[in-house]
Amino acid sequence: MQIYEELRARGLIAQVTDEEEIRELVNNGKATFYIGFDPTADSLHVGHFMALCLMKRLQMAGNRPVVLVGGGTGYIGDPSGRTDMRSMMTPETIQHNCDCFKKQMERFIDFGEGKAIMVNNADWLLKLNYIDLLREVGACFSVNNMLRAECYKQRMEKGLSFLEFNYMIMQSYDFYHLFQEYGCNMQFGGDDQWSNMLGGTELIRRKLGKDAYAMTITLLMNSEGKKMGKTASGAVWLDPNKTSPYEFYQYWRNVGDDDVLKCIRMLTFLPLEEIDKMDAWEGAQLNTAKEILAFELTKLVHGEEEAAKAQETARGLFSKGGDTANMPATALAAGDLTDGSIGILELMLKCGLVPSKGEARRLVQQGGVEVAGEKVKEISIAFSAEQLAGEGLVIKKGKKVFHRAYLEG
């Protein structure tokens, strides 16, 4: 099976502009393609997984990835659903975030001469002259067509600023620039970006003629993939200092039964023949599938050793035993204790298990907290320095969240 057919079989492709041309380019390793990332943080999160895995698959098939970071477009609002304006970042912050992105991406794709490259659209967008942009680019866009785009239609009732309205033109100009400067002949993005991507294809054809190769593909699950990056407690990051390998493993271990095989097919590099056999799995077998998903993705991001540690820790905890050394942990200082002890509400807050004492109180009152295997029944319970010494205490929040608290020194 060639790479384009594999992408189809894995459920990764939703729409294309010219399937035969795209199949020819991709299957023969002739695609130079770009995917955009907003450098709004110093780490990628699991919502980026779809794009990262796609880049890896295509590069393995001989195609060249162009990683576009939106240092320029990141200055304005995104019309795909945000209602707030993006905060202005300094060039130093953008560069730092880009450096962090590249380091994480190197686990997926190979950068270097003739290989993958990373570019920042601030390098060309910030140099544009407004009058020249209106004449050379604005003239190629129909306002009527833009207003029919789904990404704008959804915002019309709430109000659409002129700043946000320009997002399509800026994203389209990115493709036009990359086509001219790097021979980029293909763009990939989420299904929520389809209208913006078509704008780039149309701009190239309007400016350079119908013979210019400019292809687009959208990813079936990318908009859902963005949601993958958020949980009740915040984002699930690829940076181990933000989300530990164990927490990362547990995130994927806890996906829903209906999603696990879909995630295995889309995000892992297991052979399709092996995955197809799992389609008949049900019941307890789905838990095995979740372990496979969690292990494979943790290995991809953090390495096989960390994945094995995370799996061993998870299995041990859920079987009421095992090593807790690799569990997320918080070291408490003597100053965190009052008269030699710390209350359960303060302890949960210190461990980052809740955003407030009010939330901790609610969880305890609902019976959702255990410490050292015993359900916490009173919000007034406190734990002594002696109890927290050595390996400390394991706190269980709900059914699946474990955290170890111990006293330093």
Side-chain angles (χ1 to χ4, degrees), residues 122-395:
D123 292 342
W124 56 87
L125 291 180
L126 298 185
K127 297 175 183 177
L128 288 174
N129 176 283
Y130 185 62
I131 298 299
D132 289 342
L133 180 66
L134 288 178
R135 286 173 56 87
E136 299 299 320
V137 180
C140 298
F141 287 82
S142 162
V143 172
N144 290 343
N145 289 339
M146 292 174 71
L147 291 175
R148 281 194 288 267
E150 194 63 33
C151 60
Y152 289 133
K153 284 167 59 179
Q154 295 173 355
R155 296 294 304 280
M156 289 301 290
E157 291 184 5
K158 295 181 179 179
L160 181 68
S161 74
F162 181 72
L163 186 65
E164 295 169 313
F165 191 61
N166 277 269
Y167 194 89
M168 179 185 291
I169 294 176
M170 296 177 74
Q171 184 171 331
S172 299
Y173 189 83
D174 283 341
F175 194 17
Y176 174 67
H177 178 87
L178 293 174
F179 180 88
Q180 290 189 297
E181 294 296 320
Y182 301 100
C184 183
N185 53 19
M186 197 173 295
Q187 59 179 329
F188 291 76
D191 49 11
D192 59 335
Q193 292 292 314
W194 182 242
S195 298
N196 292 341
M197 295 167 67
L198 289 178
T201 301
E202 182 60 24
L203 178 61
I204 291 174
R205 290 178 175 167
R206 289 282 300 271
K207 297 293 291 183
L208 304 177
K210 294 182 179 180
D211 292 335
Y213 280 139
M215 309 299 174
T216 58
I217 294 182
T218 64
L219 309 187
L220 178 62
M221 285 289 293
N222 209 23
S223 57
E224 287 188 36
K226 292 178 182 178
K227 299 173 187 176
M228 288 181 185
K230 299 291 182 181
T231 66
S233 59
V236 179
W237 304 100
L238 273 58
D239 183 345
N241 295 315
K242 291 177 175 286
T243 298
S244 72
Y246 169 79
E247 291 171 308
F248 188 85
Y249 177 95
Q250 280 299 100
Y251 174 80
W252 294 107
R253 174 63 180 79
N254 294 331
V255 300
D257 290 354
D258 293 337
D259 294 328
V260 58
L261 292 179
K262 181 166 55 179
C263 288
I264 289 177
R265 185 169 277 109
M266 289 181 166
L267 303 178
T268 77
F269 287 79
L270 295 174
L272 280 169
E273 296 80 5
E274 182 178 337
I275 299 172
D276 289 341
K277 294 177 182 178
M278 301 179 191
D279 283 335
W281 288 10
E282 56 185 23
Q285 288 178 306
L286 290 178
N287 287 327
T288 301
K290 293 177 185 180
E291 284 196 339
I292 291 171
L293 172 67
F295 181 84
E296 289 296 322
L297 296 189
T298 306
K299 179 175 71 173
L300 191 60
V301 174
H302 299 294
E304 189 163 5
E305 182 178 353
E306 291 296 334
K309 288 179 182 178
Q311 187 171 73
E312 180 184 359
T313 299
R315 287 175 173 175
L317 289 171
F318 283 99
S319 62
K320 302 298 182 181
D323 185 13
T324 63
N326 298 304
M327 185 191 304
T330 296
L332 300 173
D336 293 323
L337 277 60
T338 301
D339 297 329
S341 66
I342 184 170
I344 182 61
L345 305 186
E346 180 69 17
L347 181 60
M348 292 181 69
L349 190 62
K350 289 283 186 184
C351 291
L353 291 170
V354 291
S356 66
K357 287 187 179 181
E359 175 65 11
R361 181 181 293 106
R362 184 187 66 80
L363 285 170
V364 170
Q365 292 173 337
Q366 292 179 351
V369 180
E370 292 182 10
V371 176
E374 297 292 329
K375 182 169 291 188
V376 178
K377 298 180 180 179
E378 301 291 338
I379 61 172
S380 60
I381 192 170
F383 303 94
S384 67
E386 289 76 17
Q387 289 174 293
L388 291 162
E391 291 190 0
L393 296 170
V394 173
I395 306 166

Side-chain angles (χ1 to χ4, degrees), residues 46-121:
V46 298
H48 295 115
F49 238 114
M50 190 77 65
L52 295 173
C53 293
L54 180 74
M55 285 192 294
K56 182 177 176 69
R57 294 184 206 281
L58 288 169
Q59 187 175 46
M60 289 170 62
N63 300 285
R64 187 187 188 198
V66 176
V67 178
L68 173 68
V69 291
T73 45
Y75 286 161
I76 68 170
D78 181 347
S80 62
R82 292 173 59 99
T83 57
D84 58 323
M85 293 290 291
R86 298 184 184 186
S87 61
M88 288 284 192
M89 295 182 293
T90 66
E92 292 77 17
T93 298
I94 292 173
Q95 187 58 53
H96 171 71
N97 293 349
C98 291
D99 292 341
C100 292
F101 278 19
K102 188 172 183 180
K103 184 177 180 181
Q104 292 174 348
M105 288 177 177
E106 285 173 345
R107 280 196 169 272
F108 294 81
I109 57 178
D110 190 8
F111 290 93
E113 186 68 29
K115 300 176 182 177
I117 60 171
M118 177 178 281
V119 296
N120 184 342
N121 65 9

